[in-house]
Structures are given as C-alpha cells and as structure tokens.
Amino acid sequence: MTETLTDRTGATAPSLGEITRVFGRIGLLSFGGPAAQIALMHRELVERRPWLEERDFLGALSFCMLLPGPEAMQLCTYAGWRLRGIAGGLIAGMLFVAPGAAMILALALLYASFGAQPLVQAAFLGIKAAVIVIVLQALLKVAQKALTGAAQWAVAGLAFVALYAFQVPFPLIIAVAALWGALRAWHTVPQAEAGRAPALGRSMAQTGAIIAGLAALWAAPLLAAWLAGADLLLDLGLFFSKLAIVTFGGAYAVLAYMTQEVVQVQGWLTTAQMIDALGLAETTPGPLILVTEFVGALTGIEAGGWRLGVTAAAMTLWVTFVPCFLWIFAAAPYVDWLTRQPRLRGALDGITAAVVGVIANLSLWFALHVFFASVGAVRIGPARPAVPDWASFDPVAAGLCALAASLLLWQKASLPLTLMLMAAAGSALGLLF
C-alpha cells in the first residue's frame, strides 16, 4: 500500500535505493544497545542528512517507547515509513535486524557444536562477567530517568521484591504498573492536554486492512506448525508471540521472565545456556531481543538437529519482529496524538518505574549464577528468595567482573572491544587454572 508522503519532511524523500544503503549501514554498525543505536540513527538521519527534523525524530522516539518490543528497531522502521511509506519501513526495519540475526544463527550453530569445550566455556566466563556490568549500566541509566520521586522508587522496589522473592509473572507486574501509572495520571494531569484527534493520511478502513494483513502474516507460521503437528515449533511460536506483546522496557526487562519460562517451565535450555545466550547477543549488531533467536535455534538443535534449529530460529524471529511492523504501520499516523495522551504517558511512566526493579532482579540473578556454582532458594512464608551456596564462590569470575567494570566504567572502552578482551582474559585464565 502506498501512503501519502507529503509533509513528512521538508526535503525531497530519498529513493528506496538510498534508504537501502543508509539503513544497511545502520544495521551493520548498530552495536552497543538501544542508546548507541538511537544515537547512530540520529547522526545518520538528522545530522548528516536532512531526512528527519529533530522534533520529528524525538516525537517518533517517544512513540516507540510507548510500544512493546525493541524501541530502536521500531524507531528505524518508523523512520523508513516516514520517508517512503510501508516499503521504506519494511526495508529499514529488516536491514536493522538482518545482520545481527545472521550472526546470531551462526553463533548458535557454533555454540551447539563447540560450546561445551573447556576453553570455550572459559571465554564465556569472561563474556558473562562483562554482561553483569552491562546490565548494571542499563539499570543505572533507566533508574536516573525513571525514578523521579518516592512513588516511582516504591514501584521499582515492589517490582523487585515481587520477582525476586515471590516469582510473580512479569506480565502481571507490567499490567499492575501500567494501571497504577494511568490512574495516577488521571488525577494529576489535565485531560485537556490530550489534544484533538489527528488528521490522518489514510482511512480507518486502510488501517484495518494493514492490521488484518500483518496479523495474518504473524499467525501464518503458527497455523502451519499446528497443521503439521510440529509441537515444539508451535510452542516456541506461541511463547515468543506472547513475549512480543509484553516486552515493554526493553530486552533486559523481559530476560528474567524469558529465563523463568525457558529454563524452569519448559526445560528447553539450562540457566548456563541462557546466560551464554545473552552474552553472545551482546556481541552482535541489532536489537538485544535477538537473544530469542538464539534460544529458538539452540532449543531446536538439541531437540532434533541443525535443520530443526534453523527452522526454530526462523519461527522465533518471525513472531518476535512481525508484531513490531504491525505496531508501527498501524499506529504511525497517530504519533503526534498518541504522545500527547496523559493516561498513556502515565501508564508508560509506571511501567518504566517497574522496569527498574525488574532489571535490578535480572542483575542480581546474573551475578548469583556467574559468581556461584550453586544457587538455591529458601522458603520464608510464601516467599522463596534465591540464596547462593557461599562455599561455591568463584573468585576468578569476580576478578573478571572487576576487570570488565574497569574497562567499561573507567577506561570507557567500546562494548565490542570490551567483550573481545574479556573473552581473551577468560580463555587465558582458563588455561592457567
């Protein structure tokens, strides 16, 4: 479907060839997580080229933060849509994901073949030590923006306790935080600030057709797996479809929930494999939520070999990212109006505050499983907090974490360089000890 491109930018809209070249470059260089990826897009699309105005870029970023899913990938898709309609959005979004997806699949196949080797495990220990510092950095950045008052601190604390001590499901925490934020905004923000409904460049019937078409595409491989009796593929598709709907707050926020389901409920992977999956995802360009592809690939390989692994990886990729295109293409014309809705903004503020507690729980979970060989749980009434076996403490892991903190926080080394150095340090210590 072709949409009106007038008034989206003051400059002439670039050709699809130019969009392919520029967004291909963005996809190849998008290391370092959402903040670095968004800065890269700003430099390429606002500073170096007159493709988007600053106001439009920031408005689009606010809009993408309202949506479930990886905000950087969705911002990239929105930018392509704004420049060249749905065709531009498809090119931009797919090019943002494709390089990292190809690398993740290759790494998953290599990991399945060589991941159990002692030297490889030693290298992974260095990467996992760095991941602890990376997650702590993400926690501090989100906390600085989200925790602006006592109420937000309380929500973050309650979210942490709910996950750590009571294992409350992540979707329930997000729903309660969103409700709290919306109700709070209802009483504190004048609803007149919402503004009038937007003047759209498409009819509601066109929007409905876009939603129906993308929803059908989203469901197509699930239906095919069900008809073929491919139970594992169907289970993977359904779980990661659900994950795509509740991934507010970024990949770090949902990793604890993903781990709980993948390790404890389904038994697809072990805790160590999940930690390795995040470590590998940190080494690739593109959104961190590509860790879902690694989980799907490794699950399929262990269940039925590399062919099933590749198919499972494709399933998880499909159900993770097709919804992102659906949210953008359906809601993009409403951006200015949506970002002025006080209750919607309030719900997002509540979710963001809760995400601080969720990431804090993830940080603790990673640290416990990297620093200690044995982690159990104690029962205190209805609570079951995790408690390590102090005799299983690994001083090598702690030393590697200190080295990673020095590189990232003191030396300000780049993330790819840090991960390579940490893998080398882990391997070297593995040879010594």
Side-chain angles (χ1 to χ4, degrees), residues 367-396:
L368 289 176
H369 285 87
V370 173
F371 293 160
F372 298 91
S374 177
V375 179
V378 295
R379 182 176 291 278
I380 307 174
R384 286 181 57 84
V387 176
D389 177 2
W390 291 95
S392 68
F393 177 72
D394 185 354
V396 173

Side-chain angles (χ1 to χ4, degrees), residues 150-175:
Q152 287 80 8
W153 277 95
V155 169
L158 289 171
F160 173 80
V161 171
L163 276 171
Y164 174 67
F166 297 97
Q167 293 78 51
V168 175
F170 174 77
L172 179 59
I173 291 174
I174 291 298

Side-chain angles (χ1 to χ4, degrees), residues 102-131:
M103 291 180 66
I104 284 287
L105 180 58
L107 289 171
L109 294 173
L110 289 171
Y111 180 88
S113 299
F114 305 106
Q117 299 295 323
L119 192 61
V120 175
Q121 282 298 306
F124 271 111
L125 182 60
I127 293 174
K128 288 185 282 192
V131 167

Side-chain angles (χ1 to χ4, degrees), residues 17-31 40-41 43-45 48-49 76 91-92 95-96 99 285-286:
E18 290 177 294
I19 284 178
T20 300
R21 178 176 57 82
V22 171
F23 283 97
R25 170 184 167 81
I26 290 172
L28 288 169
L29 299 179
S30 58
F31 292 90
L40 172 64
M41 278 185 271
R43 184 166 64 250
E44 293 288 341
L45 305 178
R48 296 185 61 182
R49 298 169 183 82
C76 197
I91 291 171
L95 287 176
F96 187 78

Side-chain angles (χ1 to χ4, degrees), residues 276-299:
D276 291 344
L278 179 60
L280 285 173
E282 291 281 9
T283 68
T284 62
L288 185 59
I289 200 64
L290 280 168
V291 70
T292 61
E293 181 194 9
F294 185 94
V295 172
L298 199 58
T299 300

Side-chain angles (χ1 to χ4, degrees), residues 303-314:
W306 71 268
R307 291 181 186 275
L308 181 58
V310 171
T311 307

Side-chain angles (χ1 to χ4, degrees), residues 23 26 34 36-47 57 71-73 75-77 79 96:
F23 283 97
I26 290 172
Q37 293 160 356
I38 291 166
L40 172 64
M41 278 185 271
H42 185 273
R43 184 166 64 250
E44 293 288 341
L45 305 178
V46 178
E47 297 174 10
F57 185 88
E71 65 268 26
M73 180 268 181
L75 177 61
C76 197
T77 303
F96 187 78

